Amino acid sequence: MEELKRSVAKEALKFIEDDMIVGLGTGSTTAYFIEYLGKLIMEEELEDVYGVPTSYQARLLALENGVPVVGLDEVDAIDIAVDGADEVDPHLNLIKGRGAALTMEKIIEYRAGTFLVLVDESKLVERLGQKVPVPIEVIPAAWRAIAEEIEVFNATAELRIASKKDGPVVTDNGNFILDARFHRIDDPLDLEIELNNIPGVVENGIFADIADIVLVGTREGIKRLER
Ligand SMILES: O=C[C@H](O)[C@H](O)[C@H](O)COP(=O)(O)O
């Protein structure tokens, strides 16, 4: 799997040109991309490329690898955003947020001229929600009320607990994450909008109709899916 992640991350470099502002995603696949991008910048094979990080992880990796970073509020536009995903359906709808970075990811990827997704073949599903829950970033005080409200959607939601900290995961924005398992997601766009309508929900991990291109690392090579 690591080899497949590396291969799609390398392939993504072909989309990057001089003078581009690049949204830098979060997660293990994008980490390879940031590493390779830094190498090209350090070797001066790419000039005047700046990254807009979607998380502290992306920011730290960019700084470590020599990718100059700028904030979203310092740029007029983002040419391309590159990020991983937890699930991809046949219409290129996504679930994201295993790394709890979904809110900044969506803010940046929604605004990018091109949103390029990098996955290995294990992330492809027929229907969203088949393998992973939908992460929902919530205002801490509202977590229990929202977890109960979500039952209306025929779902159960669990507060995400940290592994190297006691208590809940706290996002880069200071919020909690609920992981919601839905009985069946028939209309991802509709569910994405409905969840965001619940007061106290900051953002959810359904990314419907946002991805432009998905590069899939398979044992037979890289497949390119486009909307
Ligand atoms: O919050 C995390 C992100 O949405 C990640 O982009 C997603 O979980 C994919 O991560 P990975 O490339 O490690 O599978």
Side-chain angles (χ1 to χ4, degrees):
M1 281 306 163
E2 289 312 298
E3 236 355 272
L4 299 184
K5 288 181 189 180
R6 280 177 190 277
S7 65
V8 282
K10 269 204 184 108
E11 187 71 14
L13 293 172
K14 295 184 182 161
F15 291 78
I16 313 298
E17 295 167 10
D18 290 347
D19 303 313
M20 275 190 168
I21 303 287
V22 183
L24 302 175
T26 301
S28 55
T29 318
T30 324
Y32 289 125
F33 169 73
I34 296 172
E35 181 191 325
Y36 299 148
L37 180 65
K39 205 158 175 274
L40 286 188
I41 292 172
M42 298 303 273
E43 288 167 358
E44 295 179 4
E45 286 188 45
L46 277 174
E47 283 180 8
D48 293 322
V49 169
Y50 292 87
V52 180
T54 56
S55 62
Y56 287 129
Q57 185 216 26
R59 186 168 189 279
L60 294 177
L61 281 171
L63 294 174
E64 256 172 52
N65 287 283
V67 179
V69 293
V70 285
L72 179 60
D73 52 359
E74 294 175 88
V75 297
D76 294 328
I78 295 166
D79 297 295
I80 184 168
V82 181
D83 203 354
D86 305 314
E87 280 186 357
V88 180
D89 80 5
H91 307 286
L92 307 194
N93 298 313
L94 317 173
I95 290 181
K96 290 182 48 54
R98 180 204 46 76
L102 59 139
T103 299
M104 273 314 284
E105 289 178 336
K106 199 182 282 187
I107 290 171
I108 288 169
E109 289 150 14
Y110 172 84
R111 287 174 173 79
T114 303
F115 175 25
L116 175 65
V117 180
L118 310 178
V119 292
D120 62 69
E121 57 193 342
S122 70
K123 308 286 185 65
L124 299 183
V125 293
E126 272 310 305
R127 188 187 295 273
L128 289 188
Q130 263 177 359
K131 293 187 178 175
V132 300
V134 177
I136 306 173
E137 180 162 356
V138 299
I139 297 294
W143 80 267
R144 201 161 68 85
I146 295 171
E148 282 169 14
E149 263 173 272
I150 279 171
E151 290 172 14
V152 172
F153 297 93
N154 208 356
T156 52
E158 255 183 42
L159 182 63
R160 192 182 294 183
I161 300 300
S163 60
K164 290 195 176 168
K165 163 192 173 290
D166 291 343
V169 165
V170 178
T171 70
D172 290 359
N173 312 307
N175 298 314
F176 290 174
I177 295 283
L178 291 174
D179 285 309
R181 288 197 179 271
F182 293 83
H183 174 62
R184 186 185 161 102
I185 301 176
D186 282 318
D187 185 339
L189 181 59
D190 185 59
L191 182 60
E192 180 179 4
I193 294 167
E194 292 257 354
L195 290 174
N196 281 357
N197 268 342
I198 302 172
V201 168
V202 176
E203 190 48 84
N204 72 83
I206 299 177
F207 286 48
D209 289 351
I210 301 183
D212 296 300
I213 304 170
V214 178
L215 297 181
V216 188
T218 76
R219 282 165 220 288
E220 292 77 46
I222 293 169
K223 281 191 192 145
R224 177 179 167 142
L225 311 175
E226 244 169 283
R227 268 205 303 145

